[in-house]
Amino acid sequence: MEKVAAGGALTTRVDALLAWGRKNSLWPLPYGTACCAIEFMAVVASPFDLSRYGAEVVRFSPRQSDLLIVSGTIVHKQAVILRRIYHQMAEPKWVIAMGACASAGAFYDNYCTLQGIDSVVPVDLYIPGCPPRPEAVMHALVELQRRITEGIPSKAQVIRMEEEKKGEGA
Amino acid sequence: MEGKVRVEGNPFGDLVFRTEREHLPAALRALRDDHGFDMLLDTTVVDRLELPDREPRFDLVYNMRPSLGGLRVRVQARIPAEDPVAESASGIWRAAEWGEREVFDQYGVRFRGHPNCKRILNHKDFVGHPLRRDYDIKKQQWLSEPDDLLDEMEKKRAADPEPGERESMLINLGPSHPAMHGALRVLLDLDGETIRHAVPEIGYLHRGFEKSAEKGNYTQVIPYTDRLNYCSSVMNNVGYCRTVEKMLGVEITPRGAAIRVILLELGRIMDHCVQLAANLVDLGALTNYWYLFNEREKIYNVIEALCGARLTHCYFRIGGSSHDLHEGFAEGVREVLRSVPRALADVEKMVARNRIFLDRTVGVGAISAADAISHGFTGPCLRAAGVQNDLRKDEPYYGYETYDWDVVVGEKGDTYDRIWVRFEEVRQSLRIVEQALTRLPGGPANIDDPRVVLPPKREVYENIEALMNHFMLTMYGIRPPAGECYGAIEAANGELGFFTVSDGTGRPYKVKVRPPCFYVFSAFERLVEGGMIQDAIAVLGSLNIIAGELDR
Ligand code: SF4
């Protein structure tokens, strides 16, 4: 592979092939903690049917999944565990924050609720709503697939690249 | 007991006893043994820091009733802030074990003689007690490492009467595990596949409902209640609104009551559908999930047309509802009435004589009626143990006594009974909805009381009275008279109560939820110990623990 890549000509096509494969076989880890998780269950159920997008194989094991969908409120007690699960996932990986709680703490502006999961894991997409409709979740998925196809780096990659750049600068 | 306990008048019709803290255990014991108050519903504290008469600062409250229905009683004793200690009631009711742990966690009142007085909702590194009035609501505290729970496990192992020669294995289940429903956790000590000891931990969804409720006005609490038991949000709305209505001394209109009955029962159907679907999925019977969720989707459609939201409805208001029913509501509900029984029959056909299903549920995780009562079980889980207990029959509201339906009870209190009670309850709920729909009275949906309900929008634009009324209500909120009040309804999981304290202003001074599944889950370790590891999964699903309500 590396040879091919070094040769230049095939590089983009291999990337495209990989991206195509990734896009059509996302395995979400539904990190459901609260009300949003019930709505996520509806997304997987037959009236909406997530499998139309090739992402119906939900896996609760971080080793087997590449898309973390955080649906529900994350409180400080949970945040440690969310972070651990995220780090156990293999690269490349993406994160979707489903709903107002995961995105920003929603109206739980209080002593126990994390004000958005981006303070513990890098987030690629935020879905507004409390809870978001199933269609919104699907829209996010399609948007993520578009980004994968077009080779747009994930938030985690962006952060890593920025850090590397900073490291070189120093 | 006489002479040491005083009956205190109460403006909201609850019977309240007051005593000194040293007489508390005797008084509680006497109430249980001599007067039949065998069920401890809830324990909490009122921090009187900002109320008149604020010394001694903490007012410890025990709330109880007889398991077969009847008068409710509260016993209260004042505890000074300098010495916040009381005698534990955990030897009298098992329900007190978790109830008192929560009081300690949230208010910092310690209990002498409690077997395990440690934090329960907040994490182990938390400093201070968030529900005290002087704790800043926004002061967050981070956790770096989750609790290993070994302290409790060691205690249990040491107390094991027959430790024997065995290889023990510790397994951590949850909080991120499909069968633990996202926010529950239990540490298991296994001997082969047999569970010797179990230590559950909760609080992974403790999002501060009670503190947040103190920050808004009475109406602003309603959306928070939606998110307690998010499988049947409407029921929580009703439970809360009914409590505030009780404080205000208002009675809703006949039409308003019928609307509430219909939506309460639809909520119960939805909740039971989710419970059954999730429980069966945990047992490996995935097909049932598609069947049951389709029905739920149909109810969603009706409710969405009614209030615009699928899950977090926020439809009811104090004094009625945000608006009357829409055209086509009845047809939508009729469609639900037609299709739910079909799906239910299909699912039953798939599981009723299924060998795997029977092997995994019959006799698994059984609880006796006496134990269930001691733990404070209510709702389907208590009825499955054979106790005929249903607030809709015992303390009827909204005319439940006029509908024709039956309370469903089980026999053995095992997983099978809990599942089957829910199947039957869905049928009973359908019966009630049918009758309520047929006799739905006309007239206004809201009461006509300018202290409570906003005037119609058109009048606000046209006359000054209505305009001022609108301003007053929006700016100062609904203002119930000062005092303490407990109101409850039979929610899908059991008795959902709200203990509300008013200081006479537009903001609730305190709202304490009595969450049904909190007390049900407190029995979890006893239900699974001695069973197999896979039984823990079947039992958990059958208890229907909803984290939003459990942790608030
Ligand atoms: S965003 Fe809303 S629906 Fe989702 S978990 Fe938070 S409160 Fe619940």
Side-chain angles (χ1 to χ4, degrees), chain A residues 33-37 39 71-74 98-103 105-108 127 129-132, chain B residues 205 207 223 227 230 311-312:
Chain A
T33 60
C35 356
C36 276
E39 204 61 337
S71 45
T73 321
I74 300 297
M98 171 179 173
C101 279
S103 303
F107 58 3
Y108 295 104
I127 314 178
C130 180
Chain B
L205 191 58
R207 41 189 177 180
R227 287 145 182 91
Y230 34 72
L311 195 146
T312 43

Side-chain angles (χ1 to χ4, degrees), chain A residues 32-33 39 41 44 46-48 60 73 75-77 80-81 107-114 130 133, chain B residues 137-138 140 142 144 175 178 182 201-202 204-208 212 224 227 289-290 294 296-297 304 310 312:
Chain A
T33 60
E39 204 61 337
M41 284 168 85
V44 209
S46 37
F48 293 98
F60 288 86
T73 321
V75 300
H76 286 300
K77 204 168 177 172
V80 208
I81 292 164
F107 58 3
Y108 295 104
D109 188 4
N110 57 23
Y111 61 92
C112 42
T113 313
L114 195 67
C130 180
R133 292 188 58 90
Chain B
I137 183 168
K138 295 209 181 166
Q140 305 203 338
W142 286 67
S144 52
E201 194 196 15
I202 65 169
Y204 286 99
L205 191 58
H206 173 54
R207 41 189 177 180
S212 293
Y224 284 103
R227 287 145 182 91
Y289 167 72
W290 316 120
N294 283 354
R296 192 182 151 82
E297 205 61 43
E304 193 184 349
R310 287 161 51 85
T312 43

Side-chain angles (χ1 to χ4, degrees), chain B residues 516-529:
Chain B
C517 71
F518 182 79
Y519 292 98
V520 171
F521 195 50
S522 75
F524 181 67
E525 51 192 294
R526 292 190 170 97
L527 290 181
V528 300
E529 278 171 353

Side-chain angles (χ1 to χ4, degrees), chain B residues 67 96 105 107 130 227 258 262 326 363 404 430 457 493:
Chain B
S67 59
D105 186 3
Y107 288 97
R227 287 145 182 91
I262 295 175
H326 60 279
D404 184 23
L430 290 169
K457 206 49 171 216
N493 262 343

Side-chain angles (χ1 to χ4, degrees), chain B residues 10 20 28 79 97 110 118 173 191 275 297 299 309 314 334 371 395 397 419 421 431 510-511 527 540 546-547:
Chain B
N10 189 296
E20 310 306 324
L28 293 176
I79 291 169
E97 259 176 50
R110 271 175 294 114
K118 68 182 237 184
L173 212 56
D191 177 9
Q275 188 279 329
E297 205 61 43
I299 305 181
C314 196
R334 288 246 150 71
D371 281 352
E395 303 171 12
Y397 45 93
I419 292 179
V421 162
R431 277 173 78 185
K510 170 186 170 70
V511 180
L527 290 181
L540 181 75
I546 304 293

